[in-house]
Amino acid sequence: MSSDVPTTTSTITEAGAAAKASVAGVDAVPGVSKPDPILTVDHIKRRFGGMTAVDVNHLEVQRGIITALIGPNGAGKTTFFNLITGFDKPSSAPRLIGGPKAGEAAKTTFNGNDVGNTGATKVAKLGMVRTFQLTKALSKLTVIENMRLGARDQPGENLFVSVIKPLWAKREAEITAKAEELLARFKLLEKRDDMAGSLSGGQKKLLEMARALMSDPVMIMLDEPMAGVNPALTQSLLGHIQALRDEGMTVLFVEHDMHMVRHISDWVVVMAEGKVVAEGPSGTVMDDPAVIDAYLGAHHNTDLGDDSLLTDEVAEELAAEVQNEKLTEGETTA
Amino acid sequence: MDQLLQTLFAILNSAISPQTAALAIAAIGLNIHFGYTGLLNFGQAGFMLIGAYGFAISIIAGLPIIVAIIIALVAALLFALILGIPTLKLRGDYLAIVTLSAAEIVRMIGRSSLLTNFTGGSNGITGNEYRGPFTDLSFFGNGQLDLGPFKYDLTGSNGWWFIATAWVIVGLLCLFVWAIMRSPWGRVLRGIREDEDAVRALGKNVYSYKMQALILGGVIGAIAGIVFILPSSLQPDSMGRSETYFIFTALLLGGAATVFGPVLGAIVFFAIRLFVQGIAGQFIPSSIMNGQQTEQFAWIVIGVMLMLVVIFRPQGILGNKKELSFDVK
Amino acid sequence: MLAIVAIVLMVSLGSSSAQAATSDPTPAATASATAACATDAATGCLQGTIKLPSGDPAVGIKLAIKGGNLDTTISTGADGKWSQAITVAGPYTITVDTTSIPDGAVLDSAAKNPATVTGALNKNTGFVFKIVGGTTAADGTTTQTPDTDTGTGITFDRFAQQFASGIRLGLLLALAAVGLSLIFGTTGLSNFAHGEQVTLGGLLAYLFANVLGLNLILAAIISVVICAATGYFQDALIWKPLRRRGIGTTQLMIVTIGLSIALQYTYQYFLGASTVRIDQANPVTVDLGPVTLSQQSLISMGIAVIVIALVGWVLVRTRIGRATRAVSDNPALAAASGIDVDRIIRLVWTSATALAGLSGVLLGLVLNGVNWQTGLQLLLLMFAAITLGGLGTAFGALAGAMIIGLVVELTNLVLPGDFKYATALVILILVLLVRPQGIFGRRERIG
């Protein structure tokens, strides 16, 4: 993936320039505060057995820009995503008894709401919608059904209403129209009635993104949107992501491919071994020796060729194994 | 030849019997759980038993039949809540084990000698004790009606009145399932069956939907329990683990996640059993296989058939291969 | 698999009918006459259940039934039930053959014997004979043990006795559950036919020790070896090809349900509902302070402890054991690091069925008999044990089994025997509420 990326020639849009400008004066230091943060995270820790997968002290995500989250395999990016979106609970979450000290408990604020102890459903309802690293297209539903499932405010999703079609048919028509519009935009309209399972990997990524957009999110979180997408599609995918920002959405995405990160992101956050080690505008960060070191340091003896085999989970479990072994020998670093 | 004809008649009669309808209804409920939502409910017989006890005990206590039915359905609703609350947030296997266990608990408590006054202990309750109010509702009149191979009393136990009511319920439930499964509600359930995390990420309350599905299928299970005991008697051991397995067999045979699959499956289930038994009884000398053994042989065939269906035709008779309820990679 | 079972049982059937003619039929070996009685317009049923003071079913109690056009003698089945179809309504006299009541128990002095019941057509008529603790003197007079011993009062002696029984059940349960847990861990499959593997062990031991007259130890060894072979061939012929086809675990689980149904009825096909005893001799009991256990129980517990320790040692100390745990942990990673996953799974199936078979043999000895549903009744407890311990962790299964064993037996102290399994399952549900991953399980990761 990290080789031979076609150079892009898109022009910087007005909104893109504004996005870059909004964080122009911000210092490039980990945990720096931003002028207009949509998401603020404090003291998030997550341990698996003996290993700390995520340990982020403070991080802010600026509203209306594209923020890239990068880092080597096992850096804890996906776990971090899970923690923010309510799919996982921090080990440092406040508890009634025996929790962390007052100032050190995990706290996540999204768009003015405290979402630290909120489940995934509610987080999504608040407007933070995510996609998954391994695509979760609902493969035995058709493409259009997948899309409709993403919509909000369908009264027919209530059991008692569902029995009587006229009560939900009107909203269903609106949803379908919107879905078709989005499908057209993502060039999936001709697949409308195919099973989602029959799509290619890249098309599934697109479908997942389009489905997430059905709910008009405030912030969209993309976990490795380019993984497994063929080069021809990546170009349009990049365009779509930029278009989202231009429409006013906040985008946070995890990516391995440095060229793409450099190209489309307005701000870059680097994680390594669970911590935020650097952040700043893409140009600044990617030339930072600490970042290069973090990548090479963790990668130089790992084969990244087969991403499907070596998912973050596997890598983290490997790391956990290694850690356990080492702990018994009295060492502390993974 | 005579015996073949007899077997055929037996199959035809079993196809329309209220017992078959009861199995079909239980399978319709399980279809909502397993077929559409992907919930592994291994306690469907427990829901039947709850419904049966709720109904029979209420009638014996002198309550009107409509109240008895409501009590039975509410009991199943509460049972579903109790089962669902600890398990629906966990991985599917836990629901399987808890429902399996809970159904056994219901049966053990039902047959316990402590409660003999209410439940009749392990002997259960005979049909005469609770059948009256239902028979009284009949507008079929007395006498007998013969339709070809079907010769039944109009109203007497196991008669046309019982058969007609049972199958009208089956029909209404099919219509209901069709209506809710084509709706956005059904779409959410099917999404959950595929990948509940994805649905959660879209802002749907997965836990609540799973609970609704569990309750709905369980309440339909309770209806099946009532239909099951009306023409016969309430025996706790007839609604044990095996019954759940048979409901699964019927569902998979007909086709999970289809509207008519459970109904067809229930009919075919009994037909195959009677067919095997009839053929074995006729063609295998009784020195090799006696009467009792032909019955057991038929059950062995059912077990093997369940294995083969799941392996080679997991979509069942009516299902669509593309829309399997299983995760076939 | 079915074929093997069928052949083995065919031999057993052939020779057991020959044996029945010659040997003195012990109560448990007598086939019960309780083919379930179904009522219809022309048939009624007389029926009941007789239980021992312990709450266990009283097997092989003989009842003489007279009345209508009947004059027959039947006996209670493995579940303590008896039933008799009648075609004539009216009064029937039922007489319990008091000599068929096991030692240490007598008919309650308040019970009528003979009793008269009025049978009706199209109806089940129940009648209960109550059996209580007591002794029968040589002249036939009975002394009923005062209620304090058979009641639900908690004394230290009763506690100790039940505790010992709990340990015994826990150990035998653990033998079977470890295999179930290993299969789940390595393949993700909940094997609903595992109970039938336990039954198979007991039935084979009966076949070899009793029908074919082999030495008991030799019979046990052969049984366990055959059970192991069923596991090996099951994996080779069914499970491995299905894994190759990429069939999901839910589907496989339902396949095991089909297998379970087929095996249960295969056992019934040859044995009917009867309970067979592996060791026909009357058990010799040993007193250890307040605890009384049969010799077979003590030896069985010893064997179970040794085998469980051995399994633990293999899992922790040997290369193959570590590989097994690695496959349980993460099959993809294990395969990537050069472990032959298929070989490990084959080994797990083989040893799991061997352990289940051993458990069946020992249960047969301890419980004084095996029938077609011995394992079926155990399956739920096994599931409860491995869930309690944490799905897929072998040591969790051990701990879970001991807890379940103790709970089941100690329940007898405070609740009637009917509830002993129910309590174990209620505890399972409660534990899931508090600690869903089980005692030793790890929390799942998402994403």
Side-chain angles (χ1 to χ4, degrees), chain C residues 230-268:
Chain C
T230 61
Y232 183 94
F233 289 110
Q234 241 183 96
D235 186 50
L237 299 176
I238 307 180
W239 308 119
K240 187 179 168 187
L242 292 188
R243 281 199 302 279
R244 281 279 151 82
R245 283 171 68 116
I247 287 181
T249 50
T250 306
Q251 233 167 319
L252 287 180
M253 185 171 78
I254 295 173
V255 175
T256 66
I257 290 178
L259 181 61
S260 162
I261 296 175
L263 286 175
Q264 279 166 34
Y265 284 99
T266 308
Y267 299 152
Q268 282 190 58

Side-chain angles (χ1 to χ4, degrees), chain A residues 14 67 95 103 154 204 208 214 220 235 248 286:
Chain A
E14 211 173 298
T67 304
R95 266 177 255 170
Q154 167 53 278
K204 282 183 189 161
E208 209 184 358
M214 282 296 290
I220 184 161
Q235 202 52 51
M286 320 254 304

Side-chain angles (χ1 to χ4, degrees), chain A residues 46 48 78-79 82 87-89 132 309 313-314 316-318 321, chain C residues 322 325-326 329-330 332-333 335-337 442-447:
Chain A
R46 181 68 172 99
F48 292 108
T78 295
T79 307
N82 288 343
F87 278 87
D88 197 355
K89 250 181 105 172
F132 293 86
L309 183 67
E313 284 80 4
V314 174
E316 281 176 19
E317 282 187 36
L318 252 176
E321 301 269 352
Chain C
R322 278 197 292 266
R325 285 189 299 146
D329 242 26
N330 187 333
L333 187 61
S337 44
R442 276 186 308 188
R443 270 180 68 180
E444 287 280 299
R445 288 205 51 196
I446 310 158

Side-chain angles (χ1 to χ4, degrees), chain C residues 173-225:
Chain C
L173 191 60
L175 270 185
V178 167
L180 187 63
S181 174
L182 282 173
I183 292 175
F184 180 86
T186 48
T187 65
L189 173 66
S190 304
N191 181 16
F192 276 71
H194 205 64
E196 278 59 53
Q197 294 290 341
V198 174
T199 312
L200 182 66
L203 292 182
L204 286 173
Y206 162 75
L207 167 67
F208 290 116
N210 225 303
V211 182
L212 302 181
L214 294 184
N215 165 298
L216 185 58
I217 295 172
L218 189 62
I221 292 173
I222 297 176
S223 306
V224 172
V225 169

Side-chain angles (χ1 to χ4, degrees), chain B residues 234-271:
Chain B
L234 196 175
Q235 295 206 312
D237 291 348
S238 68
M239 282 171 268
R241 238 180 298 174
S242 318
E243 182 69 13
T244 299
Y245 294 169
F246 300 154
I247 300 169
F248 259 98
T249 310
L251 174 62
L252 293 168
L253 212 59
T258 61
V259 172
F260 292 110
V263 182
L264 183 65
I267 295 172
V268 172
F269 174 82
F270 283 114

